[in-house]
Amino acid sequence: DTGVSQDPRHKITKRGQNVTFRCDPISEHNRLYWYRQTLGQGPEFLTYFQNEAQLEKSRLLSDRFSAERPKGSFSTLEIQRTEQGDSAMYLCASGFPAGQPRTEAFFGQGTRLTVV
Amino acid sequence: GENVEQHPSTLSVQEGDSAVIKCTYSDSASNYFPWYKQELGKRPQLIIDIRSNVGEKKDQRIAVTLNKTAKHFSLHITETQPEDSAVYFCAASRGGADGLTFGKGTHLIIQP
């Protein structure tokens, strides 16, 4: 499968626990994006990377959220001290930078987080 | 920041008829406008996109129009089929797919 893959697909956690999600982008893409989608809403941008550099993180929802892409390939999104309001679908996408012939973002299947 | 409004929230059309979904955006610097289709429980999939140097783009039964002056863009689906039933999202950004701002989505229902 050469698409964007995310792991796990589903995560149930107790309030206050930390969770980490993984995203493997399409191999030739150097941009990687994280979005959050709640029920009935469009995806909400969180952060993105160009290779291993995090270019935008001001839209991460709080300081409990952090993301890494240490080797410029896969990325992880961590949420510390989870709250019930963090329950959502977390989507990863990858693509090429603006200015390239093709810049569209391709999404993964997402990780559905439920905080109980 | 960018704000994208999408209408209608639900659209029901007879199979074979056309469907039109409209979006407005607030940031005049936005230059990339993709449309995504999301079926229940599945990932958003890009169906068509347009850049600000183009007014219209067509791909078989799907077309998108952009009015930069009015800051709105629309998705047109002709000869609708049952498999077109899904939620459609419009989005906008200043640079390619970087930091897309999405609309709230339109649930398109194709009536047989």
Side-chain angles (χ1 to χ4, degrees):
Chain A
D1 184 357
T2 57
V4 178
S5 62
Q6 292 186 244
D7 183 69
R9 292 289 307 279
H10 304 274
K11 178 71 177 179
I12 300 174
T13 191
K14 291 184 178 179
R15 189 172 49 187
Q17 297 294 305
N18 299 344
V19 293
T20 300
F21 311 138
R22 177 180 170 124
C23 171
D24 287 272
I26 293 171
S27 58
E28 57 264 36
H29 288 168
N30 46 21
R31 290 281 170 112
L32 185 148
Y33 311 91
W34 284 101
Y35 286 81
R36 181 181 80 160
Q37 187 175 25
T38 53
L39 200 60
Q41 301 293 317
E44 177 185 12
F45 173 72
L46 298 178
T47 187
Y48 80 103
F49 294 84
Q50 167 76 17
N51 299 316
E52 65 275 11
Q54 191 171 12
L55 299 186
E56 170 66 68
K57 54 183 178 181
S58 66
R59 289 161 72 175
L60 284 166
L61 300 165
S62 78
D63 59 6
R64 298 185 296 106
F65 288 71
S66 63
E68 293 184 339
R69 195 184 183 195
K71 298 181 180 179
S73 56
F74 73 91
S75 175
T76 58
L77 177 70
E78 181 182 17
I79 308 174
Q80 295 182 328
R81 306 180 302 282
T82 52
E83 302 172 357
Q84 285 189 319
D86 297 333
S87 296
M89 176 73 84
Y90 290 84
L91 291 163
C92 176
S94 69
F96 291 113
Q100 297 287 325
R102 300 193 64 180
T103 59
E104 60 265 39
F106 294 88
F107 281 87
Q109 296 275 30
T111 293
R112 180 167 295 284
L113 173 67
T114 302
V115 181
V116 298
Chain B
E2 175 69 280
N3 182 48
V4 176
E5 299 282 344
Q6 183 172 347
H7 300 279
S9 56
T10 303
L11 177 60
S12 181
V13 301
Q14 289 294 124
E15 183 178 348
D17 287 351
S18 295
V20 180
I21 302 170
K22 299 182 180 182
C23 289
T24 60
Y25 61 99
S26 62
D27 186 353
S28 56
S30 288
N31 58 18
Y32 177 63
F33 308 92
W35 286 88
Y36 284 85
K37 174 183 180 182
Q38 188 173 31
E39 297 177 34
L40 190 63
K42 296 191 176 181
R43 72 185 79 193
Q45 290 194 298
L46 180 76
I47 55 171
I48 196 167
D49 58 7
I50 192 168
R51 288 168 173 76
S52 59
N53 59 347
V54 175
E56 183 174 359
K57 183 176 179 181
K58 189 174 182 180
D59 183 4
Q60 299 182 343
R61 297 187 297 110
I62 296 172
V64 57
T65 59
L66 171 65
N67 183 326
K68 288 188 296 182
T69 303
K71 289 190 282 190
H72 68 69
F73 55 114
S74 300
L75 177 71
H76 304 252
I77 305 174
T78 59
E79 301 171 13
T80 53
Q81 300 169 3
E83 54 265 36
D84 294 330
S85 293
V87 179
Y88 291 81
F89 293 99
C90 63
S93 78
R94 288 188 171 193
D98 297 347
L100 289 167
T101 299
F102 282 80
K104 290 189 175 182
T106 295
H107 185 193
L108 176 62
I109 301 166
I110 307 301
Q111 302 279 6

